[in-house]
Amino acid sequence: MGLPTFKGGVYPYEGKELSENKPVKVLQSKGEMVFPLAQHIGAPSKPLVAAGDRVLVGQKIGEMDGFISACVISSVSGTVKAIEPRRVASGSMILSVIIDNDEEYQAVESFGSKRDTKNLSKDEIRNIIKEAGIVGLGGAGFPTHVKLSPKDESKIDTIIVNGAECEPYLTSDYRMMIEEPEKLIEGLQIILKLFDNARGVISVENNKPKAIKKLQELVKDRPRISVLPVKTKYPQGWERTLIYSVTGRKINSDMLPAEAGCIVDNVDTVISIYNAVAENIPLIRRIITVSGDAIQNPQNYNVRIGTSYQQLVEAAGGYKAEPKKLISGGPMMGQALPDTNIPVTKVSSALIAMAEDEALKAPATPCIRCGRCVRVCPSRVVPQKMVIAAANSDMERFIKLNGMECCECGSCSYICPARIPLTETFIKTHQMITAGEDNKRGEKK
């Protein structure tokens, strides 16, 4: 029997050797810090401060504004300079709290104080996670306290820690599994306190043998926790494919993982849960990979949320070649950046600087009907037909082709010999369909 995996997927150049052996460095931020009030799925948070206010490390500066929302915590001490729209990685202008960092890092009372987790109730744990502003750090940004509050917690039987990190170049989760495995396991143990009938599975791609060995040694006396190596293949770390690899259960876009008895959390999300619950440290930092063939010294950084991407570039020694493409996140699902004048947010995972832009090397040509896009699609849809429907603005046809099942992973675009921008087209089509549905709901109100 081979390693657990899923149907479809691709094998892009990994690029992990550039930074996987670089221990995480702490990067102290300086100057202006930008805290967007929408760093998560759901309603933006409401500002709790005003221009001229002094704030401290660990102070809540944005309050939840709805059931699916998340608060925002200051990562520095200093003075609120303004509350105004600022650009984020997606290109959107988001209302943000701007703080002049005084570089003194004075913290709120009790920040960083150890907490005995043994006697905490389930409600207390969930509330701590909510107040810490923790969201999914794998990129989705779904509020974690909501994910950990399913309708029927007794039906949850598997908590999956997503240690796949299948995106090329990204190594931040790998470094955390190597450097802070105890926090990862204790964080998972805290989650298991919420679900009496669940087991914990730390799922790691088999291209990370050191992490697998270290974690297996640490869980050998933990009967509810196991480590499961899975096949290295992109997009192994997608929630649906990982659930299938670990449990054999299938879910679609209309289902939540909880409906399959599962909850999936990223490595750094679980460590952030430990930090909040056991050490009273809210989510104020991200572990970021700075890499690519245009970066002088690829590295992983522990960086405060709100820091400019430009500081990451400078810390890594700048560029050894003028980058033709900058990406926030990985090259498969990340977002192209016009420049580095954007802030690190909760959903930031990497900054990749490439000396060449592969997308510009050759123009798209007509589809040759080779079927490769169908074979690699993990969602089991037909990109070849979907792109025709999208090009003709035939949204009804696109939906009938199960186009909304597309996870936008980029596998089809990667494998397409005609270089047709399939994923880009599907992302735009998804946005148009979702906007149309939102408008219809608004009209009914």
Side-chain angles (χ1 to χ4, degrees):
M1 293 267 314
L3 290 167
T5 191
F6 60 96
K7 292 182 180 179
V10 293
Y11 301 89
Y13 165 64
E14 292 183 6
K16 295 181 185 288
E17 72 280 358
L18 295 175
S19 60
E20 65 184 352
N21 295 318
K22 303 285 186 69
V24 175
K25 284 186 177 181
V26 175
L27 175 62
Q28 289 295 7
S29 309
K30 55 187 178 182
E32 183 181 88
M33 306 286 286
V34 178
F35 298 87
L37 292 169
Q39 303 183 37
H40 51 268
I41 288 175
S45 57
K46 297 183 297 185
L48 292 176
V49 292
D53 288 354
R54 175 163 170 75
V55 297
L56 303 174
V57 176
Q59 180 178 332
K60 189 192 299 186
I61 57 176
E63 179 63 276
M64 288 174 53
D65 191 21
F67 176 66
I68 300 181
S69 187
C71 57
V72 177
I73 312 294
S74 178
S75 63
V76 297
S77 58
T79 303
V80 176
K81 180 179 176 181
I83 298 176
E84 61 188 27
R86 288 293 181 93
R87 195 171 303 282
V88 296
S90 67
S92 300
M93 298 293 287
I94 302 295
L95 188 66
S96 305
V97 177
I98 318 300
I99 297 175
D100 274 329
N101 178 10
D102 62 15
E103 299 183 39
E104 294 178 7
Y105 303 109
Q106 292 180 312
V108 296
E109 188 178 355
S110 78
F111 178 88
S113 59
K114 302 288 185 182
R115 183 189 279 122
D116 185 358
T117 64
K118 293 178 182 177
N119 298 319
L120 291 173
S121 69
K122 294 180 180 181
D123 286 344
E124 286 173 327
I125 290 172
R126 290 188 174 104
N127 189 61
I128 291 168
I129 293 169
K130 179 178 73 173
E131 290 299 308
I134 298 173
V135 303
L137 302 181
F142 190 83
T144 301
H145 68 279
V146 179
K147 181 183 283 191
L148 296 179
S149 306
K151 290 181 180 178
D152 187 350
E153 66 183 48
S154 67
K155 291 185 178 179
I156 303 299
D157 61 21
T158 309
I159 308 297
I160 302 172
V161 178
N162 184 351
E165 197 166 44
C166 60
E167 268 274 11
Y169 293 94
L170 274 62
T171 58
S172 55
D173 280 349
Y174 171 71
R175 290 311 313 175
M176 297 309 286
M177 288 187 281
I178 291 290
E179 296 179 38
E180 297 191 343
E182 297 85 1
K183 289 186 177 182
L184 174 62
I185 292 164
E186 291 303 327
L188 177 54
Q189 200 72 53
I190 289 168
I191 296 174
L192 289 171
K193 283 172 65 72
L194 303 176
F195 302 100
D196 301 331
N197 303 323
R199 63 177 178 136
V201 179
I202 305 173
S203 181
V204 187
E205 281 192 329
N206 69 321
N207 62 350
K208 305 172 181 66
K210 290 182 181 178
I212 292 170
K213 183 179 179 181
K214 180 166 282 197
L215 290 167
Q216 285 176 333
E217 289 173 354
L218 291 172
V219 304
K220 61 185 179 183
D221 296 321
R222 306 261 188 163
R224 293 180 68 188
I225 299 178
S226 62
V227 178
L228 178 68
V230 293
K231 186 175 181 178
T232 300
K233 182 169 61 169
Y234 179 85
Q236 184 70 262
W238 179 35
E239 200 167 54
R240 284 188 237 169
T241 53
L242 196 62
I243 288 172
Y244 180 79
S245 294
V246 173
T247 68
R249 301 168 192 168
K250 297 180 180 180
I251 65 171
N252 58 42
S253 61
D254 294 325
M255 297 173 63
L256 294 171
E259 295 177 65
C262 299
I263 286 176
V264 183
D265 275 316
N266 161 270
V267 163
D268 203 17
T269 307
V270 177
I271 291 174
S272 295
I273 288 171
Y274 169 82
N275 289 339
V277 178
E279 298 193 355
N280 212 344
I281 300 175
L283 181 56
I284 60 170
R285 65 98 181 103
R286 277 301 327 243
I287 309 300
I288 302 268
T289 300
V290 181
S291 190
D293 58 2
I295 284 288
Q296 190 70 44
N297 301 306
Q299 181 65 53
N300 293 288
Y301 290 102
N302 178 328
V303 60
R304 293 172 188 266
I305 289 171
T307 305
S308 169
Y309 271 43
Q310 181 57 33
Q311 289 186 40
L312 290 169
V313 174
E314 292 168 2
Y319 304 120
K320 63 181 179 182
E322 189 63 28
K324 296 290 180 61
K325 192 165 192 175
L326 294 169
I327 305 168
S328 177
M332 298 296 286
M333 294 186 74
Q335 297 161 316
L337 300 174
D339 55 52
T340 53
N341 187 29
I342 61 166
V344 170
T345 67
K346 297 178 186 181
V347 295
S348 301
S349 59
L351 173 61
I352 311 298
M354 308 302 295
E356 296 291 338
D357 187 347
E358 294 293 326
L360 299 178
K361 279 190 172 181
T365 59
C367 173
I368 62 173
R369 301 181 182 276
C370 64
R372 295 181 192 178
C373 59
V374 179
R375 289 196 293 272
V376 303
C377 177
S379 300
R380 317 313 295 162
V381 294
V382 185
Q384 171 200 342
K385 293 183 178 180
M386 287 160 49
V387 76
I388 294 172
N392 292 327
S393 299
D394 190 345
M395 302 305 164
E396 186 176 344
R397 172 72 172 156
F398 185 88
I399 293 170
K400 284 183 178 179
L401 289 167
N402 289 322
M404 298 307 285
E405 291 298 312
C406 165
C407 68
E408 305 173 2
C409 69
S411 294
C412 56
S413 294
Y414 173 81
I415 208 70
C416 178
R419 305 180 72 88
I420 298 170
L422 297 164
T423 307
E424 180 182 343
T425 302
F426 301 151
I427 290 171
K428 291 178 180 177
T429 306
H430 286 169
Q431 291 171 344
M432 290 171 65
I433 291 172
T434 302
E437 291 173 348
D438 290 343
N439 288 338
K440 286 179 182 179
R441 281 194 289 268
E443 288 172 2
K444 286 181 181 178
K445 289 180 181 179

